[in-house]
Amino acid sequence: MIKPRTMPGVMELLPRDQIAFQRMLDVIRRNYERFGFLPVETPVMELSDVLLTKTGGETERQVYFVQSTGALEKGGEGLPELAMRFDLTVPLARYVAQYEHELAFPFKRYQMQRVYRGERAQRGRFREFYQCDIDVIGKDTLGLRFDAEIPAVIHAVFSDLDIGPFTIQINNRKLMRGFFEGQGVADGEQQMLVLREVDKLDKRGPEAVFETLTGPDFGLADEVVRAIMDFVAIRSSGLADGLARLDVLGGGSASFEEGVAELREVLSLVQAFGVPDDAVAINLSIARGLDYYTGTVYETTLDEYPQIGSICSGGRYDNLAENYTKSHLPGVGISIGLTRLFWQLREAGIVSTAESTVKALVALMDDARVEDSLALAQQLRAAGINTEVQLEPKKLAKQFQYADRAGIRFVVLSGEDEAARGVVTVKDLRRGEQFEVGRGELGGALKVELEQARVMHVE
Amino acid sequence: MIKPRTMPGVMELLPRDQIAFQRMLDVIRRNYERFGFLPVETPVMELSDVLLTKTGGETERQVYFVQSTGALEKGGEGLPELAMRFDLTVPLARYVAQYEHELAFPFKRYQMQRVYRGERAQRGRFREFYQCDIDVIGKDTLGLRFDAEIPAVIHAVFSDLDIGPFTIQINNRKLMRGFFEGQGVADGEQQMLVLREVDKLDKRGPEAVFETLTGPDFGLADEVVRAIMDFVAIRSSGLADGLARLDVLGGGSASFEEGVAELREVLSLVQAFGVPDDAVAINLSIARGLDYYTGTVYETTLDEYPQIGSICSGGRYDNLAENYTKSHLPGVGISIGLTRLFWQLREAGIVSTAESTVKALVALMDDARVEDSLALAQQLRAAGINTEVQLEPKKLAKQFQYADRAGIRFVVLSGEDEAARGVVTVKDLRRGEQFEVGRGELGGALKVELEQARVMHVE
């Protein structure tokens, strides 16, 4: 006998939690599609030489390699031929380069699949997790308007997910780089290191970060560090305030002014995309650890749960697929790490176990009447109502108990008495009410009730 | 520069094919949910000792093993710790055993995920493919009514998929075993071998199979082989014919008579579940290669494409999770191998590239009017219509060409003239028509058109 268990670092859910998770996936997908993004799925395994174009580094150390039984027995030198994707960006780059001549550009794709990282096992860290990505890829060029469309998608997704107020925070890497250059921190790598320290502001506090940056590792002058810390503390609320804060930044290097102009243009357009004025804020501290982004960068935070950190991040990059094609493919995109987000929302008590996908249970009052139950179930299903039938004899109280625990809203009862009168009895477990309805009207009646619930967002 | 390519044996789709595939997934899921099955997802990797409880055999040779970079460097004896699932049945067994005390039985679950097999690369064989499974798992017992519900689900799924007429074929392993015992083929293993030969009837023809079974490998008497071949040739059409054919089989061993009784009961109930009389047929040749099934077995074939073989198969089994728990967990289930099915349907020309998920493109007639486009797009999206906006200046002819190639049905035009008159022009590329509509009515008007298309099944 083998103990049934999963590997550490994966999230496996009981059905009612899976339903809640699936609803979030559906909401995200619906909104991605609403904005015209097209679905792509890629294989979970890629050829190692394709996946690992950059050797070394932390990322490679976290890669899972795959070998069939045959390959394993043969042994062999070097890395295994296959590896599992660790994000959806490298597969996107490979996909766009591979099908370049069959795709229309700008290419807007969404991809919602699991990715794999051999992380150290740790609470809230996952080795398998969903990423829900959108990207717009241009050929040669991609206008700034696409940078302004991204917040509209973020806003639609998180409004629809209904997990509380949130703020979409924007920065621009050119602006940031230009500012650092103006402070004499001209070296790209040092900028990255300073930014990494600055990224720790929330965790370590301003004093500790100040000490590090003026200390032996960085050796920056006090006033430079103060200027940097003032700069990264800049936040805006609303469009007018945002533009005003950009105005007072003054001039700087070419990169700085280009960044300011881009940020200004993006901010100004966002409202035309239907995003409310107060949903987007400038946050000049956003660096997005990666070397990858070159212009606009995004983070989104829940106003009431700042400790959760960014729930949706991304930005603009210069060239998606330089390892696979000579074509110049600039892009802009975001990613939602849904497994981690779901876990955090559950920990914070923001999402709870969902009502079942099953809406009605046709009870079995008398075993001889099972065909009657099946006829009622058919009627309900034809009306679009997910229906389970009690197929085996069981005490009625147990049937109710089951429906209640399973999160099934309606229990449909049809005994001899009801049959004689041409009606069925419906128990609405959510409202704690009971009503009778004509047999022929059952499907329609429950459909109306469910539609009301949907509209009223109680579901 | 690295050549962008996927590993052999995977199916990767361009967006419009992905849309067609996703629609099939959605239809299957909707119907599984309609019958009260609950969603489960399991990690793609399982611990090797959990996954590979039975050692040896073809299955294990096809397993993909997984190692993180760290584990790979360490080396080590024996099999790697992790392996990728090769079906959804073993993960289900592990899941049910692991959460036994938190699940309600009978447990009805659906699972639609990819599985992995290190198959020899071959046209139409996949190393990564979707399985779409349902199973009902009982605790201690599970009534035959659940066997009769399965054809109702199959019927709902394939009617809704709309890929042509199909027949659900049923057999019973007890009946088959009993019959073989009556013919003096009493040994279970020899029965399996004979069945395997019989399974080749369609491929090799009756004469070749007859020769093999009377030949040195099996050494069966001519009349025994004739009896077997007559038996497996039995097919029914409709319920009355099916019951009649069972009647003339006469008596036999206990197993035989139990099987006949079960098949009779399942057949008799199927109609009450809403399955038309002619959709289910007895086919006494169905063996389902596996040792696994113990009662009812199912195969489903497309009437006009018999060469595709079974598109949905499964059956009843005695005990799901004997390797993980002492609890007795009988079950019944089916599986649709969607990746292979999709590939075959495409090869046969039955499914074609779908219309886009994007329903409307708001054209850009004048770059200065982009905010007007954005306002129209917002209106369309609010009406539930997936909408793309032409964000960058481009010749109008090119915009139409793009919409046409991308499978977008409506192009929305709003120039100065339209704006002055408070209308927009809509080009319906599917119907080749053009019409004007008041600005405020745009969303509603297109919604009605799309709803009509949906109801008329032209979509």
Side-chain angles (χ1 to χ4, degrees):
Chain A
M1 199 72 60
I2 287 152
K3 187 176 180 228
R5 63 209 196 280
T6 54
M7 64 179 276
V10 297
M11 188 173 81
E12 186 170 72
L13 302 171
L14 286 169
R16 287 183 71 178
D17 289 320
Q18 185 66 45
I19 291 167
F21 189 86
Q22 185 64 47
R23 288 218 174 117
M24 295 185 76
L25 277 175
D26 290 344
V27 166
I28 295 170
R29 181 175 140 201
R30 181 166 68 230
N31 282 282
Y32 284 174
E33 291 191 346
R34 187 96 357 129
F35 279 83
F37 291 84
L38 299 172
V40 162
E41 289 198 344
T42 64
V44 74
M45 294 184 250
E46 297 275 352
L47 292 163
S48 298
D49 70 319
V50 172
L51 191 68
L52 305 169
T53 52
K54 294 167 194 158
T55 46
E58 199 189 359
T59 304
E60 186 177 348
R61 293 205 61 81
Q62 295 190 338
V63 169
Y64 281 113
F65 290 96
V66 179
Q67 287 172 292
S68 66
T69 319
L72 200 66
E73 281 167 0
K74 253 189 273 167
E77 294 290 302
L79 286 182
E81 200 193 357
L82 300 170
M84 293 171 85
R85 61 171 169 237
F86 47 81
D87 68 13
L88 301 178
T89 303
V90 178
L92 171 66
R94 194 263 309 146
Y95 183 95
V96 173
Q98 186 170 341
Y99 308 109
E100 199 178 329
H101 302 293
E102 293 155 275
L103 300 173
F105 292 90
F107 176 53
K108 298 175 77 175
R109 88 86 178 76
Y110 75 85
Q111 186 171 0
M112 300 170 50
Q113 291 191 288
R114 296 173 177 202
V115 304
Y116 297 86
R117 292 187 194 168
E119 301 258 10
R120 200 161 53 84
Q122 199 179 334
R123 223 179 110 74
R125 283 261 170 202
F126 295 97
R127 291 173 174 172
E128 173 184 68
F129 56 97
Y130 268 97
Q131 285 197 330
C132 307
D133 284 20
I134 50 169
D135 286 88
V136 189
I137 310 299
K139 186 104 166 219
D140 301 320
T141 61
L142 183 74
L144 264 181
R145 286 175 184 164
F146 291 98
D147 295 43
E149 189 179 39
I150 296 286
V153 185
I154 298 173
H155 186 262
V157 166
F158 287 99
S159 301
D160 208 1
L161 280 176
D162 201 18
I163 51 174
F166 58 92
T167 305
I168 303 163
Q169 305 185 52
I170 310 197
N171 196 3
N172 185 294
R173 290 293 293 266
K174 288 177 191 161
L175 186 166
M176 200 168 214
R177 199 176 69 225
F179 168 80
F180 276 101
E181 282 163 8
Q183 294 300 324
V185 187
D187 177 65
E189 197 156 330
Q190 210 201 349
Q191 280 173 20
M192 282 307 301
L193 292 172
V194 173
L195 284 176
R196 203 165 292 167
E197 289 308 311
V198 166
D199 247 1
K200 298 176 190 164
L201 259 179
D202 286 347
K203 271 186 215 154
R204 299 185 62 210
E207 277 164 42
V209 171
F210 186 90
E211 229 162 84
T212 303
L213 291 175
T214 54
D217 288 349
F218 288 87
L220 297 177
D222 284 14
E223 64 275 16
V224 166
V225 175
R226 261 191 292 271
I228 291 173
M229 290 181 68
D230 284 349
F231 175 81
V232 299
I234 291 173
R235 306 281 186 282
S236 74
S237 58
L239 173 64
D241 181 46
L243 294 175
R245 281 178 199 273
L246 290 179
D247 286 341
V248 299
L249 286 179
S253 67
S255 165
F256 180 81
E257 301 209 340
E258 203 181 323
V260 171
E262 286 187 7
L263 195 45
R264 182 173 283 130
E265 188 174 339
V266 169
L267 267 187
S268 306
L269 257 175
V270 154
Q271 265 187 292
F273 276 95
V275 181
D277 189 40
D278 59 350
V280 177
I282 292 177
N283 177 345
L284 297 191
S285 80
I286 293 175
R288 300 299 316 142
L290 295 164
D291 217 350
Y292 186 61
Y293 297 113
T294 51
T296 314
V297 283
Y298 314 93
E299 287 191 353
T300 302
T301 47
L302 291 174
D303 297 350
E304 288 164 10
Y305 299 89
Q307 72 279 12
I308 286 181
S310 181
I311 56 176
C312 170
S313 313
R316 155 74 71 147
Y317 40 89
D318 259 352
N319 198 3
L320 175 72
E322 57 189 351
N323 295 310
Y324 309 120
T325 174
K326 285 176 186 165
S327 301
H328 183 66
L329 302 168
V332 62
I334 48 160
S335 182
I336 301 172
L338 191 63
T339 300
R340 182 140 199 268
L341 177 58
F342 182 82
W343 184 85
Q344 287 169 316
L345 293 175
R346 231 174 22 158
E347 290 283 303
I350 305 171
V351 296
S352 55
T353 302
E355 193 177 271
S356 181
T357 42
V358 183
K359 297 301 169 201
L361 172 72
V362 181
L364 187 60
M365 300 178 77
D366 171 357
D367 197 44
R369 298 185 52 76
V370 68
E371 298 209 357
D372 185 58
S373 297
L374 295 176
L376 291 171
Q378 260 179 265
Q379 195 197 127
L380 288 164
R381 288 174 186 143
I385 296 163
N386 299 340
T387 303
E388 188 173 348
V389 182
Q390 178 68 35
L391 287 180
E392 297 182 314
K394 207 190 213 176
K395 280 192 185 139
L396 206 54
K398 289 267 179 198
Q399 298 182 39
F400 276 106
Q401 195 186 61
Y402 164 73
D404 188 45
R405 284 194 189 153
I408 300 172
R409 181 169 167 190
F410 298 109
V411 178
V412 175
L413 299 146
S414 166
E416 266 181 51
D417 168 55
E418 279 94 349
R421 291 189 294 123
V423 300
V424 294
T425 300
V426 178
K427 274 233 180 195
D428 182 339
L429 298 188
R430 187 199 284 158
R431 292 213 186 133
E433 288 171 6
Q434 175 170 329
F435 58 92
E436 276 189 3
V437 58
R439 266 188 87 91
E441 283 85 57
L442 175 63
L446 297 200
K447 202 175 171 185
V448 167
E449 293 282 336
L450 290 167
E451 191 58 27
Q452 275 181 355
R454 206 182 58 79
V455 172
M456 292 169 68
H457 275 283
V458 276
E459 183 169 14
Chain B
M1 198 74 60
I2 287 154
K3 189 178 179 224
R5 64 208 194 281
T6 54
M7 63 179 277
V10 297
M11 188 173 83
E12 186 169 75
L13 302 171
L14 286 169
R16 286 184 70 179
D17 290 319
Q18 185 67 46
I19 290 166
F21 188 86
Q22 184 65 47
R23 288 218 176 118
M24 293 185 76
L25 277 175
D26 289 344
V27 166
I28 295 170
R29 181 175 140 201
R30 182 167 67 229
N31 282 283
Y32 285 174
E33 291 190 348
R34 187 94 0 125
F35 279 82
F37 291 84
L38 299 171
V40 162
E41 290 197 345
T42 64
V44 75
M45 295 183 251
E46 297 275 351
L47 292 163
S48 298
D49 70 319
V50 173
L51 191 67
L52 305 169
T53 51
K54 295 166 196 162
T55 47
E58 200 189 359
T59 303
E60 187 178 348
R61 293 206 61 79
Q62 294 190 337
V63 168
Y64 281 113
F65 290 96
V66 180
Q67 287 171 291
S68 66
T69 320
L72 200 65
E73 281 166 0
K74 255 189 267 164
E77 294 290 302
L79 286 181
E81 199 192 358
L82 300 170
M84 293 171 84
R85 61 172 169 235
F86 48 81
D87 68 13
L88 302 179
T89 304
V90 178
L92 171 66
R94 193 264 306 146
Y95 183 95
V96 173
Q98 187 170 342
Y99 307 110
E100 200 178 328
H101 302 293
E102 291 154 275
L103 300 174
F105 291 90
F107 176 52
K108 297 175 76 175
R109 86 87 177 75
Y110 76 86
Q111 186 170 359
M112 300 170 52
Q113 291 192 287
R114 296 175 178 203
V115 304
Y116 297 85
R117 292 186 194 169
E119 300 258 9
R120 200 160 53 83
Q122 198 181 334
R123 224 179 110 71
R125 283 258 169 206
F126 295 97
R127 290 173 175 171
E128 174 185 67
F129 56 96
Y130 268 98
Q131 285 198 330
C132 307
D133 285 19
I134 50 169
D135 286 88
V136 188
I137 310 299
K139 186 103 168 221
D140 301 319
T141 61
L142 184 73
L144 265 181
R145 286 174 184 165
F146 291 98
D147 296 44
E149 189 179 38
I150 297 286
V153 186
I154 298 174
H155 186 263
V157 166
F158 287 99
S159 301
D160 207 1
L161 280 176
D162 202 18
I163 52 173
F166 58 91
T167 304
I168 303 163
Q169 304 184 53
I170 309 195
N171 195 4
N172 186 294
R173 290 295 292 267
K174 287 177 192 161
L175 187 167
M176 200 168 215
R177 200 176 67 226
F179 169 78
F180 276 102
E181 283 164 4
Q183 293 300 322
V185 187
D187 177 65
E189 197 155 328
Q190 209 200 350
Q191 281 173 20
M192 282 308 300
L193 292 172
V194 173
L195 285 175
R196 203 165 291 165
E197 290 308 309
V198 167
D199 246 1
K200 298 176 190 163
L201 258 180
D202 285 347
K203 270 186 214 152
R204 299 185 63 211
E207 276 163 45
V209 172
F210 186 89
E211 229 163 84
T212 303
L213 291 176
T214 53
D217 286 352
F218 289 88
L220 297 178
D222 284 14
E223 66 275 15
V224 166
V225 174
R226 262 192 291 272
I228 292 174
M229 290 180 67
D230 285 348
F231 175 81
V232 299
I234 292 173
R235 306 279 185 282
S236 75
S237 58
L239 173 64
D241 181 47
L243 294 176
R245 281 177 199 274
L246 290 179
D247 286 340
V248 299
L249 285 179
S253 67
S255 165
F256 181 80
E257 302 208 341
E258 205 181 322
V260 171
E262 286 187 9
L263 195 45
R264 182 173 284 130
E265 187 174 340
V266 170
L267 267 187
S268 308
L269 257 176
V270 154
Q271 265 187 293
F273 275 95
V275 181
D277 189 39
D278 60 350
V280 177
I282 291 177
N283 177 345
L284 296 191
S285 80
I286 294 175
R288 300 300 317 143
L290 295 165
D291 216 351
Y292 187 59
Y293 297 114
T294 51
T296 315
V297 283
Y298 315 92
E299 288 191 352
T300 302
T301 46
L302 291 174
D303 297 349
E304 289 162 11
Y305 299 87
Q307 72 278 13
I308 286 181
S310 180
I311 57 176
C312 171
S313 312
R316 156 75 70 146
Y317 40 89
D318 258 353
N319 198 2
L320 175 72
E322 57 189 352
N323 295 309
Y324 310 119
T325 174
K326 286 179 188 164
S327 300
H328 182 65
L329 301 168
V332 61
I334 47 160
S335 181
I336 301 172
L338 192 62
T339 300
R340 183 139 198 269
L341 177 59
F342 182 81
W343 184 84
Q344 288 169 315
L345 293 175
R346 233 178 15 163
E347 291 283 305
I350 305 171
V351 296
S352 55
T353 302
E355 193 177 271
S356 181
T357 42
V358 183
K359 297 301 169 200
L361 172 72
V362 181
L364 187 60
M365 301 178 77
D366 171 358
D367 197 45
R369 297 184 53 76
V370 69
E371 299 209 356
D372 184 57
S373 298
L374 295 175
L376 291 172
Q378 260 179 263
Q379 197 197 124
L380 288 164
R381 288 174 186 143
I385 296 163
N386 298 341
T387 303
E388 188 173 348
V389 182
Q390 178 67 35
L391 287 180
E392 297 182 315
K394 206 191 215 176
K395 281 193 184 135
L396 207 53
K398 290 265 179 201
Q399 298 182 37
F400 276 106
Q401 195 186 62
Y402 164 73
D404 187 44
R405 284 195 190 151
I408 300 172
R409 181 168 167 190
F410 298 109
V411 179
V412 175
L413 299 146
S414 166
E416 267 183 49
D417 168 54
E418 278 94 348
R421 292 189 292 123
V423 298
V424 293
T425 299
V426 178
K427 276 232 180 198
D428 182 339
L429 297 187
R430 186 199 286 159
R431 291 212 187 135
E433 289 171 6
Q434 176 169 329
F435 57 93
E436 278 189 4
V437 58
R439 266 188 88 91
E441 283 86 55
L442 175 64
L446 298 201
K447 201 174 170 183
V448 167
E449 293 281 337
L450 290 168
E451 191 58 28
Q452 274 180 354
R454 204 182 60 78
V455 172
M456 292 168 68
H457 275 283
V458 278
E459 183 170 11

